[in-house]
């Protein structure tokens, strides 16, 4: 049975754990997926696409456990157009109070060529697979992948077949981020007008951001009659990502005068989930990202600051509190206690459990000893230091580098690998190169370094550096992230963080084409 929607209610479907996790390098651990799913459920997301159960044992177990723990949200799993995928998906989602099977096939001329199916053969397959899914579950979503490049007549034909076979939601993916707002609206309007049975199902929009129009395209589709928006936290997703959940939800809230649609999302939880997703995915949020970027509520120029002091509405169209960002100028330093840190972190959007607080407090004290002032950004970077978690196989224990004008620069490094300490001294072209050579020596691997990026989190020579490292091994891309006032230490920890993520990634074996 599909979810009933009032005329003005738009369902929010989150696919951070499926489409988002498919972004190269954005692997999340089992526990991290459970945590994100719980946050999504609590913030009022209507449908959570928890993964692709056939893809790996790990994906299956994550979807199953998310389903078992779910509270209000519908839990959905993805499956290709074959019985084996659909059965596996059902085995995982059936544990939810509200399960959904999502099945898809590429319907555009280019995508029909991949399985080499004629239009008729594909239409038959759609009928068989959607019927099969519907026999298992009364909530079935069907997607014609690459819908925006599919011939209109054929698209109408296969959607009618899917509806007749029992689909309750028809999702229209702009898989390659090719459409534009007017075309996106026209397509949904045309389908609702032409397809028999369209009024009995919910139409959904799933937009990728290749031309930077994903959010605009999704909102245009809603104005034309779509009542489900598929999105991800921070816009995570394949290539340039997907429609960002926080953008559509806030756009519908702030511009309700011209887009009179509501969602069930508690917007005050946006900031905390955005930050947590950035941490666990290893994808930092760009500073000027709408809603959740570091600068989204920052005012630098004198004219803007003056205007803000007189009336925040001069330069802000939404209040920071609306997204769970408290404006607070509580200065924190080495004399501050746990309660102040906890309150400050809450103000910044982080709800810390007692064990997390204990861990962050130790790192905060270490930082406060080294820095005169601890800024909000330092604390955020501290939270983003994804290194040294209990499950990590490799940890940086000791590092000392010799650098300067006289080559060769060298690094004396001790790594703990599976609980055993190993030490080496390596040289290199600069201290970072020497450190990375030392890591390679102690933990040999064939992964290639694709990206090494450093940026200062705050100003001054005692600023924390955040280092991002991206590496690739046999097509698997992983990211590592770390922050420290010492750039070389941050680099070593980011590299080791990427290796730990690679180890997790190696354990996941996805079938071809997934
Ligand atoms: O972008 C896409 O087409 C998808 C489908 C699987 C819905 O993610
Ligand atoms: Zn997608």
């Amino acid at each position: 049975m599909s979810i009933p929607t009032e005329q003005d209610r738009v369902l929010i479907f989150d696919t951070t754990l499926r489409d988002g996790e498919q972004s190269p390098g954005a692997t999340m651990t089992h526990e991290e997926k459970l945590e994100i799913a719980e946050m999504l459920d609590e913030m009022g997301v209507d449908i959570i696409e928890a993964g692709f159960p056939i893809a790996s044992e790990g994906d299956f177990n994550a979807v199953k456990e998310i389903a078992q723990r779910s509270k209000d949200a519908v839990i959905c799993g993805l499956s290709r157009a074959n019985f084996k995928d659909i059965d596996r998906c059902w085995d995982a989602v059936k544990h939810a109070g509200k399960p959904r099977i999502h099945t898809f096939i590429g319907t555009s001329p280019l995508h029909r060529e991949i399985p080499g199916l004629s239009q008729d053969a594909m239409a038959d397959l759609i009928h068989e697979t959607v019927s099969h899914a519907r026999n298992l579950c009364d909530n079935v979503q069907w997607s014609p992948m690459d819908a925006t490049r599919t011939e209109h007549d054929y698209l109408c034909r296969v959607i009618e077949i899917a509806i007749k076979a029992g689909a309750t939601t028809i999702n229209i993916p702009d898989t390659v981020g090719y459409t534009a707002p007017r075309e996106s609206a026209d397509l949904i309007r045309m389908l609702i007008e032409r397809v028999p049975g369209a009024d009995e199902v919910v139409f959904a929009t799933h937009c990728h951001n290749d031309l930077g129009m994903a959010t605009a395209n999704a909102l245009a589709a809603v104005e034309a009659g779509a009542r489900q928006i598929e999105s991800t936290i921070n816009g995570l997703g394949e290539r340039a990502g997907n429609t960002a959940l926080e953008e559509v939800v806030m756009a519908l809230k702030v511009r309700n005068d011209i887009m009179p649609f509501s969602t069930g999302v508690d917007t005050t939880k946006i900031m905390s989930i955005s930050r947590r997703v950035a941490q666990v995915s290893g994808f930092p949020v760009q500073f000027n990202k709408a809603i959740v970027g570091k600068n989204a509520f920052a005012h630098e120029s004198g004219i803007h600051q003056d205007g803000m002091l007189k009336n925040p509405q001069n330069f802000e169209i939404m209040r920071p509190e609306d997204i769970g960002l408290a404006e607070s100028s509580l200065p924190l330093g080495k004399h501050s206690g746990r309660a102040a840190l906890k309150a400050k972190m809450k103000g910044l959007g982080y709800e810390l459990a007692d064990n997390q607080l204990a861990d962050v407090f130790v790192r905060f004290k270490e930082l406060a000893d080294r820095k005169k002032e601890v800024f909000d950004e330092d604390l955020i970077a501290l939270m983003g230091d994804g290194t040294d978690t209990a499950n990590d196989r490799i940890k940086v224990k000791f590092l000392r580098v010799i650098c300067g004008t006289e080559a060769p620069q060298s690094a004396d490094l001790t790594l703990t690998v599976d609980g055993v300490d190993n030490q080496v001294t390596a040289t290199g072209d600069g201290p970072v190169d020497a450190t990375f050579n030392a890591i390679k020596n102690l933990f040999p691997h064939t992964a290639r370094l694709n990206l090494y990026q450093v940026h200062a989190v705050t100003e001054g020579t005692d600023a924390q550096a955040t280092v991002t490292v991206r590496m690739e091994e046999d097509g698997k891309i992983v990211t590592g992230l770390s922050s420290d006032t010492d750039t070389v230490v941050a680099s070593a920890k980011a590299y080791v963080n990427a290796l730990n993520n690679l180890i997790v990634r190696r354990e996941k074996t996805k079938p071809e084409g997934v």
Side-chain angles (χ1 to χ4, degrees), residues 18-19 206 208 242:
R18 199 278 298 167
D19 209 320
H206 176 112
H208 280 268
N242 291 59

Side-chain angles (χ1 to χ4, degrees), residues 9-23 28 36-37 40-41 43-51 74 76 100 102 141 143 169 171-174 203-209 213-219 221-222 226-238 240-252 262-265 270 273-274 277 289 291-292:
R9 174 78 154 79
V10 175
L11 298 170
I12 298 296
F13 175 110
D14 181 276
T15 183
T16 306
L17 298 173
R18 199 278 298 167
D19 209 320
E21 216 231 355
Q22 274 174 224
S23 332
M28 297 177 207
I36 299 298
L40 290 166
D41 206 341
M43 81 190 284
V45 161
D46 300 285
I47 305 115
I48 299 171
E49 187 161 55
V74 172
C76 172
R100 173 182 291 189
H102 179 189
Q141 170 165 329
S143 296
T169 298
N171 177 38
I172 304 300
D174 182 28
F203 273 84
T205 174
H206 176 112
C207 300
H208 280 268
N209 204 29
M213 293 192 279
T215 296
N217 290 337
L219 293 171
V222 166
R227 287 294 176 269
Q228 176 179 302
I229 299 180
E230 306 213 352
S231 55
T232 57
I233 303 294
N234 299 341
L236 212 61
E238 296 268 15
N242 291 59
T243 301
L245 182 146
E246 61 278 4
E247 290 178 10
V248 283
V249 168
M250 287 310 289
L252 290 176
S262 65
T263 74
V265 172
I270 283 178
I273 194 163
S274 160
V277 167
K289 174 108 181 123
I291 321 290
V292 290

